[in-house]
Amino acid sequence: KESLLPSPRYCLQIIFTLLPQILTQRYQVFIAEIHTATKKLLTKPSSAEEFVEVVSFLQCMHEKIDSLEEQYLGIKEYISLMQDYQIPIPEIDFASYQMMGADFNACKDAMVTAEEGKVENAKLFSADLIKQMEQVKNDVTLIHQAANHDMILDENSDMQEVLAYVRNLSDDIIARNAQYQCIQQYQRLFQIEETQYDELQAVANEVEMKKSLWSALEDLGLKGVIWANTHFEKLQLEEIEEVVQRYIAGIRSDVEKVENQLKHFGHVLDEWLECQKQWMYLESIFSAPDIQRQLPNESKAFNAVDKQFKDIMKRVHDRPNALQAGLTVGWLETFQKSNETLEKIQKNLEDYLETKRMAFPRFYFLSNDELLEILAQTRNVQAVQPHLSKCFDGIRRLDFGDDPRSIDIFAMVSSEGERVSLGKNLKARGNVESWLTAVEQNMNSSLRRFASNFFYIKLCQ
């Protein structure tokens, strides 16, 4: 017995020594993490970046909470074990262990508080993100303008100066792109709609293309100097061809892409201008209520095109980028369909004018615009006055009396001021071609009557 007891006693002594050390070490690691987390979660963010840090940290805490719970229970088991075997625990340490549960609960409460404040803070800092996004857009616009500097487009410009210039632009656009990606990441964390800004990538591609072109020119220039100073027989033609093909291959796809884009843009622009030309002519016609009433189907079709055309023009006004607008998916088909509709409306309008001319042949003396001016104001009988001299060679105007709203036609007046009565009960009522036909008939009957009376008087003399 005396021989066997020393070994277990020695082991127990080591265990009693190690347990307090292990407990202290685990407690310090656990409580340090809990205190740090509580402080960070309760800190009020003053910027979008700080809020993102809090949200990200809160997500990490949600993922780690089970592990922390296990650490907490493990430390409590160590304390229970030491108490069961009466292993001494210093009073100061024991007091700290007793507060561990309260500290852990305070950390959980801080997590709840941070979670509840996410919505309010997201609304608060979303406005800040919008301002940052507007600044990014302004910076990208300036970079795009700088990328079109005359120096870049001039092959005689100083190469090193241009290279330094485009490389700075490339660094700037990379920085703006990183800022844009960061804003989108924040928006995802805030659970708000992500801002889309396609023009950024377009500008980045343009800057990168121009940088690549000038870098290629520099490299090719250096190789050209070497080739120029090499004896012709020693030139490696395969190497030269490989270098040249490499530069051509590097931009071939971009050149073909731009070429196809410009061709498509040209087709869109042709259809756009044609649509605008027809729209400008028909818009003033179909804005007249009388024309809308007389041509309801054509008016409805024009209104549909009008709405579509104005929507496109508004979008272009808001984002004045010609190439981007010309490459918008579906616009070519839209303009083609609109032009077909407008051409059909134009044809129907001409057919309509033809029916009016057939009803009153003297309308053939008027142009389409002049006739439309009359038809667009059928309720204003005075609208025919400027065109009467073309319809009737001897009539300058019709006498409607002193009341400008009168529809009673009393007489016709020549360019010399001669006035001939047209009889009674002649009114400008109904379709304009109808009452102008009545004017023509009364003109003939009145002139015939006056001529007969004059002839009779001459006979009597």
Side-chain angles (χ1 to χ4, degrees):
K1 180 179 179 179
E2 291 297 328
S3 300
L4 295 173
L5 281 175
S7 178
R9 284 174 180 170
Y10 177 71
C11 291
L12 285 173
Q13 185 180 359
I14 293 175
I15 292 173
F16 288 175
T17 302
L18 288 176
L19 275 176
Q21 294 176 1
I22 294 172
L23 175 60
T24 301
Q25 183 182 9
R26 294 197 174 190
Y27 168 77
Q28 288 176 348
V29 171
F30 174 77
I31 207 67
E33 185 171 4
I34 291 299
H35 286 166
T36 301
T38 303
K39 181 179 178 181
K40 194 163 187 176
L41 290 169
L42 292 178
T43 301
K44 187 175 182 180
S46 58
S47 66
E49 289 77 10
E50 291 182 4
F51 177 52
V52 168
E53 289 182 10
V54 172
V55 172
S56 300
F57 184 73
L58 180 60
Q59 289 179 342
C60 292
M61 286 300 296
H62 281 302
E63 295 171 0
K64 293 172 60 178
I65 193 66
D66 291 338
S67 174
L68 291 172
E69 196 76 46
E70 291 177 2
Q71 293 180 45
Y72 172 70
L73 294 175
I75 293 171
K76 288 186 67 178
E77 288 177 0
Y78 271 102
I79 295 172
S80 299
L81 183 63
M82 293 176 67
Q83 288 175 334
D84 291 343
Y85 287 93
Q86 298 180 353
I87 300 174
I89 302 175
E91 291 184 5
I92 296 177
D93 292 345
F94 186 74
S96 298
Y97 299 155
Q98 291 295 103
M99 293 296 296
M100 181 177 61
D103 290 342
F104 192 24
N105 288 331
C107 181
K108 292 178 182 178
D109 292 340
M111 290 174 64
V112 173
T113 302
E115 191 69 43
E116 291 174 346
K118 277 173 61 177
V119 175
E120 182 179 351
N121 283 323
K123 291 180 180 178
L124 176 64
F125 294 114
S126 291
D128 187 33
L129 292 180
I130 292 174
K131 290 181 182 178
Q132 291 184 32
M133 193 64 224
E134 289 301 320
Q135 184 60 49
V136 169
K137 290 182 178 181
N138 291 336
D139 292 344
V140 170
T141 300
L142 293 176
I143 293 172
H144 191 206
Q145 293 173 354
N148 290 292
H149 194 285
D150 293 342
M151 173 178 64
I152 299 178
L153 306 176
D154 186 359
E155 61 179 341
N156 297 317
S157 299
D158 182 83
M159 184 173 292
Q160 296 306 318
E161 182 181 357
V162 176
L163 280 170
Y165 184 80
V166 294
R167 284 166 182 163
N168 285 335
L169 290 181
S170 178
D171 293 340
D172 289 343
I173 199 67
I174 290 172
R176 298 293 82 74
N177 189 50
Q179 189 176 357
Y180 170 62
Q181 298 295 334
C182 186
I183 290 172
Q184 283 197 315
Q185 181 186 1
Y186 290 173
Q187 290 173 330
R188 285 193 293 272
L189 286 172
F190 293 1
Q191 295 181 350
I192 59 177
E193 184 179 357
E194 294 182 37
T195 302
Q196 300 300 323
Y197 186 41
D198 298 336
E199 191 171 348
L200 174 61
Q201 189 58 48
V203 174
N205 292 340
E206 181 179 346
V207 171
E208 188 60 30
M209 180 185 69
K210 290 178 178 178
K211 188 182 83 167
S212 299
L213 284 172
W214 279 96
S215 297
L217 282 173
E218 180 189 37
D219 188 31
L220 192 60
L222 293 174
K223 284 184 170 57
V225 172
I226 296 173
W227 294 336
N229 294 321
T230 303
H231 193 278
F232 182 78
E233 293 180 353
K234 295 181 179 180
L235 286 174
Q236 301 293 325
L237 296 181
E238 292 182 358
E239 178 189 356
I240 296 174
E241 184 176 353
E242 181 183 351
V243 171
V244 173
Q245 287 295 329
R246 183 169 72 245
Y247 289 126
I248 293 175
I251 63 173
R252 185 190 301 277
S253 59
D254 291 332
V255 171
E256 290 176 351
K257 179 182 177 182
V258 172
E259 182 182 14
N260 291 332
Q261 287 178 338
L262 291 175
K263 286 180 179 178
H264 182 80
F265 177 77
H267 295 322
V268 172
L269 188 59
D270 290 340
E271 296 291 338
W272 196 333
L273 291 174
E274 180 62 26
C275 181
Q276 179 173 287
K277 178 182 175 182
Q278 294 191 73
W279 175 84
M280 289 177 64
Y281 174 71
L282 294 173
E283 196 270 340
S284 59
I285 295 172
F286 283 96
S287 62
D290 285 341
I291 295 295
Q292 295 175 12
R293 178 175 53 83
Q294 296 173 65
L295 297 170
N297 294 333
E298 287 75 11
S299 179
K300 183 178 179 181
F302 177 79
N303 287 337
V305 174
D306 178 69
K307 182 180 183 302
Q308 204 168 44
F309 182 75
K310 288 179 178 178
D311 287 342
I312 289 176
M313 297 302 291
K314 183 179 184 302
R315 289 175 61 182
V316 174
H317 180 269
D318 293 339
R319 297 186 67 181
N321 185 309
L323 186 60
Q324 188 176 21
L327 298 178
T328 302
V329 177
W331 279 15
L332 177 60
E333 293 76 11
T334 297
F335 284 123
Q336 288 174 338
K337 186 175 180 180
S338 295
N339 283 331
E340 290 176 4
T341 302
L342 293 176
E343 287 173 4
K344 185 176 180 181
I345 292 172
Q346 181 82 16
K347 182 179 182 303
N348 291 347
L349 182 63
E350 290 177 357
D351 292 342
Y352 169 73
L353 295 180
E354 183 64 22
T355 60
K356 295 294 181 180
R357 288 187 170 108
M358 290 176 67
F360 185 65
R362 290 178 182 268
F363 278 157
Y364 281 108
F365 296 127
L366 302 180
S367 66
N368 285 352
D369 291 341
E370 291 170 333
L371 181 53
L372 284 168
E373 183 180 344
I374 295 173
L375 297 175
Q377 306 177 72
T378 55
R379 298 182 182 180
N380 177 19
V381 296
Q382 300 290 338
V384 302
Q385 298 281 37
H387 310 290
L388 279 174
S389 58
K390 286 189 175 182
C391 293
F392 300 92
D393 191 41
I395 301 178
R396 181 184 177 188
R397 65 181 180 85
L398 295 175
D399 184 0
F400 289 93
D402 297 331
D403 186 355
R405 295 176 299 178
S406 172
I407 62 172
D408 293 315
I409 305 174
F410 298 106
M412 54 184 179
V413 182
S414 69
S415 299
E416 295 79 14
E418 183 181 4
R419 184 178 184 279
V420 178
S421 175
L422 293 175
K424 298 180 179 180
N425 299 323
L426 180 59
K427 297 182 181 294
R429 182 183 295 155
N431 294 333
V432 64
E433 66 273 15
S434 299
W435 63 262
L436 280 176
T437 299
V439 167
E440 182 182 23
Q441 292 171 350
N442 281 39
M443 173 191 71
N444 292 332
S445 60
S446 295
L447 290 176
R448 189 180 296 109
R449 185 176 64 254
F450 282 119
S452 298
N453 292 340
F454 177 77
F455 181 71
Y456 177 76
I457 291 170
K458 284 295 184 181
L459 287 177
C460 291
Q461 291 178 352

